Amino acid sequence: MRAGPDVPYERAKNAEYLVALEKKLKTRIEIGIARNEAWANPGGVTLPFSPDDLHPLIGRVGLESPHELLGTDFYIGPRRLVVGGVEVYSCFAEVAKLFYQPDGGGFEGHESVVVRRTFEARHREVVAADDEWVRDVMESPFAARKLGVPAAPVHRPRRRFTLDRERDAPTQPELLIVQDDAKVATAEHTHIVRPPLGTRSPVGMRAVEAVRRRLSAPRSSQLTSVLATLQPDQYEMATSDPRQDLVVQGHPGTGKTIIATYRAAFLVDPDREGNSASRVLLVGPTKQYVNHVQGILRQHDPEGRIQATHIESLLSNFVASKSSLEHTFAGRYDDLDAHTRGLCEIAAHKVRQLDRFAMHKDVRSRWLRTTYELLRTNGQSGRTQLTDNPAEVAWLKNLPTFELASSQRRYLPLLAQCALALRAPTVQEQYDHIVVDEAQDMSPIEWNILDQMKSKAGRWTLVGDMNQRRSDTSYESWEAIAHHLGIGSGDTQFQATTITRGYRSTAQILELADKLLPRAQRGVEVVQRDGPGVQKIWASNPQKLFSISVDIAVDFKTRYSDGMVAIISAEPTALTQWMARHGWRRDRSVHRWVLGGQLLNVYGPASARGLEFDAVVVVEPSKFKQHVGKAGQLYTSLTRANRELAIVWQKNLPQALR
């Protein structure tokens, strides 16, 4: 990797691209949906243009000799545009493989690639670039182009491209830049003097220095674009054949959420090969997850063809429930068994026979109640039982009343299945592709519900980590999920794709968390090899447990003032009550707490899934629930930290963490 190409020129070209992109997207996009679809697609139907939807240029590819269609060089961006006679291709077009894949992904002409330039942007302005040379040539293919383009807008003082040598210590010779800042506005290339070809990037990675700078940057509440540093394996999975199902197994921090999000964006991209999807459903674990990925989705989907939601919200929409039931998940496997669908459909059929009114909103609520009560009483009229299976009869007998069931997260999937048995989604309401992140936590009945929302020819993308399962009510293997959904049946053999390179957490954090796993499943390849050691602090009595935890978190926040710090506890309510008694006040979000200018995030293990922070304090790990002998919740919580982790305990520290 070599750093230091002519950034002012690229900054100006990016500014020109953004002007053209804004003009293309500025028209308000009206999305029409049928009235009877609103229950499955809640929210606004108009997506006005926002400057936040603009994504800067991603990179540039230089060729050794002119290509018939590509010329000697071309750019990669979020959308295809022609800017001042220069081609900018979509990051999801076939030609983008020349940028993301070392072998060009089989794209014709990859042998001619000489250099790949990766841009680093802040506030949509190019501030740095890294050149990755495939081989030496007499002259850079970028040096031949001289174009008059507008001067880039200046939001901050211009600077020469430099590296923080203590933080980024390049492993290869730097490029020597000879430039005259007074002539930047002419957008002419500066003269580049290249040293001899240095060492290559680590096997399987690209844009390594840009990745490391990215990892050292502060975390934020929303996932920010990583298109410029997307790795070859991540890109290959995100853009794999949309006509095939995809299952991805990955350890924490391997980029699963990035893959899921860009997979959804790829599916609706108008520039990709084949017909883009009309409707894509992205399902995450929590409301915080949806907020986390929303910004990226808007940049790639201004037409609103991707619906991002979380499983509880999805189920609540079917039941027409507006109450928040998060953190109350519990129950028996019977409540979530896949075979429950059959009983619900029998009960719904009986209800329709008894009441033949039109299926409008007022009647739907009454029918749901009647269907559930018929299920609970196994037919209640006594004429015909729904089932005579002793196990099922006993389970139905123990179901609570409709009022009680409606207030518990445990029974939400069952009520949603009853609602779908009464009214299945129409063809227009179904999705061409369903992407599920944290898929390991879906219960059998939830898979049934999602399956009914997929079109007949639709496909799945499932992303998750079986080591992070948080409940025994979910399937214990990808093979079991694949069997349930029919993935790999017929001519296609099921095979999960495994990713093993960890980006988010340091080696010190992952080595500790790995001890919670069976030996055969340990050993993630770590990118952040250097980091502080994990702190383990014992509280001498219960009264000090929370005070020590908060003090450490405040210290973390002092050092990561521009980033995010979280406390994760199995008892978040007790923790926040203690904080409230000591002057902390809840901020705009239920998870944000402030005191004297300090801001901390407090999460339970369930609501922290899919998120990441600069530093994390895990409180009393012995109280995190286990299932089938595995510490899935604790494992997930430990690996939310990007740079630093502290464990505070008062009771027994789990043996694996000692």
Side-chain angles (χ1 to χ4, degrees):
M1 182 71 64
R2 301 179 185 173
D6 40 347
V7 175
Y9 174 86
E10 303 296 15
R11 182 182 296 130
K13 179 56 66 177
N14 176 67
E16 189 180 12
Y17 174 76
L18 291 177
V19 169
L21 184 61
E22 180 175 359
K23 184 177 180 180
K24 182 174 184 178
L25 297 179
K26 205 163 188 177
T27 304
R28 289 172 61 91
I29 302 167
E30 303 289 340
I31 304 171
I33 61 173
R35 289 180 178 273
N36 64 354
E37 185 186 349
W39 63 277
N41 190 8
V45 296
T46 300
L47 296 179
F49 167 81
S50 167
D52 292 335
D53 297 335
L54 296 177
H55 190 294
L57 289 172
I58 297 165
R60 190 177 180 187
V61 177
L63 306 177
E64 184 175 17
S65 57
H67 186 279
E68 181 180 1
L69 299 176
L70 305 176
T72 57
D73 68 294
F74 59 91
Y75 286 87
I76 299 295
R79 293 271 177 137
R80 183 174 184 180
L81 287 171
V82 178
V83 181
V86 179
E87 285 279 3
V88 179
Y89 291 96
S90 165
C91 56
F92 297 126
E94 283 290 294
V95 68
K97 293 179 179 179
L98 295 179
F99 177 74
Y100 286 107
Q101 304 281 27
D103 62 355
F107 190 86
E108 182 182 356
H110 73 273
E111 304 90 350
S112 298
V113 174
V114 172
V115 57
R116 298 180 177 94
R117 176 171 290 178
T118 299
F119 297 142
E120 179 181 337
R122 294 175 194 161
H123 308 292
R124 294 181 293 279
E125 180 177 305
V126 172
V127 296
D130 292 276
D131 277 356
E132 192 167 29
W133 291 88
V134 178
R135 58 182 174 274
D136 272 334
V137 291
M138 294 298 296
E139 185 180 20
S140 168
F142 299 149
R145 190 183 296 276
K146 289 188 178 182
L147 298 172
V149 298
V154 180
H155 300 296
R156 59 187 61 80
R158 284 201 179 107
R159 61 173 175 82
R160 297 176 187 268
F161 182 96
T162 59
L163 289 175
D164 182 333
R165 299 185 183 278
E166 292 184 356
R167 184 187 69 183
D168 300 307
T171 57
Q172 304 182 37
E174 291 185 77
L175 290 176
L176 173 63
I177 306 300
V178 182
Q179 66 179 45
D180 182 354
D181 282 348
K183 298 180 180 179
V184 166
T186 65
E188 293 189 359
H189 280 268
T190 55
H191 178 55
I192 301 178
V193 181
R194 294 186 293 103
L197 189 65
T199 57
R200 307 300 182 192
S201 298
V203 175
M205 286 190 67
R206 54 168 294 273
V208 178
E209 294 303 325
V211 170
R212 288 173 178 158
R213 289 198 300 273
R214 180 80 186 198
L215 292 174
S216 66
R219 306 294 96 179
S220 64
S221 60
Q222 283 202 329
L223 184 66
T224 53
S225 175
V226 294
L227 275 177
T229 54
L230 205 61
Q231 295 302 301
D233 57 344
Q234 296 172 335
Y235 183 80
E236 183 177 4
M237 283 178 268
T239 61
S240 64
D241 190 345
R243 298 168 298 179
Q244 301 295 328
D245 299 309
L246 175 66
V247 179
V248 178
Q249 158 67 32
H251 284 66
T254 50
K256 297 185 298 296
T257 295
I258 287 172
I259 292 170
T261 306
Y262 284 123
R263 176 68 166 170
F266 162 76
L267 292 167
V268 300
D269 189 82
D271 294 321
R272 73 169 176 83
E273 186 178 31
N275 296 325
S276 59
S278 297
R279 287 170 57 82
V280 171
L281 181 65
L282 172 59
V283 183
T286 64
K287 180 180 179 180
Q288 292 74 32
Y289 173 93
V290 176
N291 178 66
H292 190 54
V293 303
Q294 199 69 55
I296 284 182
L297 295 180
R298 285 185 63 92
Q299 288 180 332
H300 294 275
D301 180 38
E303 295 85 3
R305 288 180 290 175
I306 302 171
Q307 181 189 347
T309 187
H310 58 97
I311 187 62
E312 183 181 317
S313 175
L314 189 71
L315 299 175
S316 298
N317 287 333
F318 290 120
V319 181
S321 171
K322 296 182 179 179
S323 59
S324 177
L325 307 174
E326 198 171 359
H327 310 312
T328 59
F329 182 86
R332 294 171 43 189
Y333 183 84
D334 294 339
D335 304 332
L336 304 162
D337 190 0
H339 296 292
T340 304
R341 175 179 175 178
L343 296 177
C344 292
E345 289 179 345
I346 295 173
H349 177 70
K350 286 180 173 291
V351 170
R352 284 193 294 266
Q353 286 182 321
L354 295 172
D355 192 343
R356 297 183 179 276
F357 288 111
M359 186 57 175
H360 55 78
K361 183 177 180 180
D362 295 336
V363 174
R364 190 186 310 151
S365 177
R366 173 160 53 89
W367 276 15
L368 177 60
R369 175 189 292 270
T370 305
T371 300
Y372 177 82
E373 290 296 342
L374 198 64
L375 188 71
R376 186 174 72 88
T377 58
N378 196 17
Q380 79 179 4
S381 64
R383 298 176 183 175
T384 305
Q385 291 184 325
L386 303 181
T387 179
D388 57 5
N389 182 292
E392 292 179 341
V393 170
W395 169 66
L396 293 174
K397 186 176 181 179
N398 289 322
L399 288 175
T401 63
F402 179 80
E403 287 74 13
L404 185 58
S406 299
S407 66
Q408 297 186 30
R409 172 63 173 87
R410 167 178 176 174
Y411 299 104
L412 186 57
L414 177 60
L415 292 172
Q417 185 65 83
C418 288
L420 277 175
L422 288 165
R423 181 192 180 281
T426 65
V427 173
Q428 292 75 23
E429 293 164 350
Q430 291 178 322
Y431 292 88
D432 303 322
H433 205 110
I434 298 181
V435 182
V436 184
D437 200 353
E438 303 289 352
Q440 75 279 350
D441 287 330
M442 292 291 173
S443 67
I445 196 171
E446 289 168 343
W447 284 122
N448 274 347
I449 292 169
L450 289 174
D451 195 32
Q452 289 178 265
M453 300 181 69
K454 181 178 68 66
S455 67
K456 186 176 181 180
R459 291 295 181 180
W460 297 98
T461 293
L462 313 181
V463 179
D465 180 7
M466 280 297 164
N467 292 314
Q468 297 186 59
R469 286 177 63 225
R470 66 187 185 103
S471 171
D472 294 331
T473 58
S474 61
Y475 287 119
E476 61 182 13
S477 71
W478 292 116
E479 288 76 15
I481 295 177
H483 177 74
H484 182 135
L485 300 177
I487 296 175
S489 58
D491 297 333
T492 306
Q493 182 66 36
F494 166 75
Q495 185 175 2
T497 301
T498 302
I499 45 177
T500 58
R501 183 182 294 118
Y503 300 92
R504 178 173 58 232
S505 301
T506 64
Q508 290 76 9
I509 295 172
L510 289 177
E511 285 172 4
L512 180 69
D514 257 10
K515 295 178 180 179
L516 297 173
L517 304 180
R519 289 187 179 275
Q521 298 175 19
R522 299 177 187 176
V524 178
E525 181 185 348
V526 182
V527 174
Q528 296 193 75
R529 298 190 179 278
D530 297 322
V534 176
Q535 300 182 46
K536 301 176 187 178
I537 300 95
W538 177 60
S540 58
N541 59 68
Q543 288 71 34
K544 292 185 177 180
L545 183 67
F546 290 155
S547 64
I548 293 175
S549 300
V550 171
D551 286 346
I552 295 173
V554 169
D555 180 61
F556 278 158
K557 186 59 179 176
T558 301
R559 283 185 278 140
Y560 298 96
S561 57
D562 293 331
M564 295 183 65
V565 173
I567 306 176
I568 304 178
S569 170
E571 300 176 329
T573 301
L575 173 58
T576 54
Q577 288 174 347
W578 181 94
M579 295 176 71
R581 291 195 300 270
H582 290 78
W584 290 83
R585 293 293 177 263
R586 182 174 292 170
D587 195 32
R588 292 169 293 174
S589 164
V590 66
H591 299 288
R592 291 162 54 101
W593 289 77
V594 295
L595 174 64
Q598 295 283 6
L599 188 153
L600 299 178
N601 297 275
V602 179
Y603 288 90
S607 56
R609 290 176 297 157
L611 305 180
E612 59 181 34
F613 309 91
D614 293 274
V616 169
V617 179
V618 173
V619 183
E620 201 65 274
S622 63
K623 291 191 176 182
F624 285 67
K625 293 182 179 180
Q626 295 191 14
H627 63 92
V628 196
K630 293 185 178 181
Q633 289 192 359
L634 178 57
Y635 179 69
T636 302
S637 299
L638 293 175
T639 54
R640 296 307 91 196
N642 178 47
R643 293 297 300 169
E644 291 199 57
L645 171 66
I647 299 172
V648 182
W649 58 284
Q650 194 273 321
K651 297 185 177 180
N652 292 329
L653 187 67
Q655 183 66 36
L657 301 184
R658 295 180 183 177

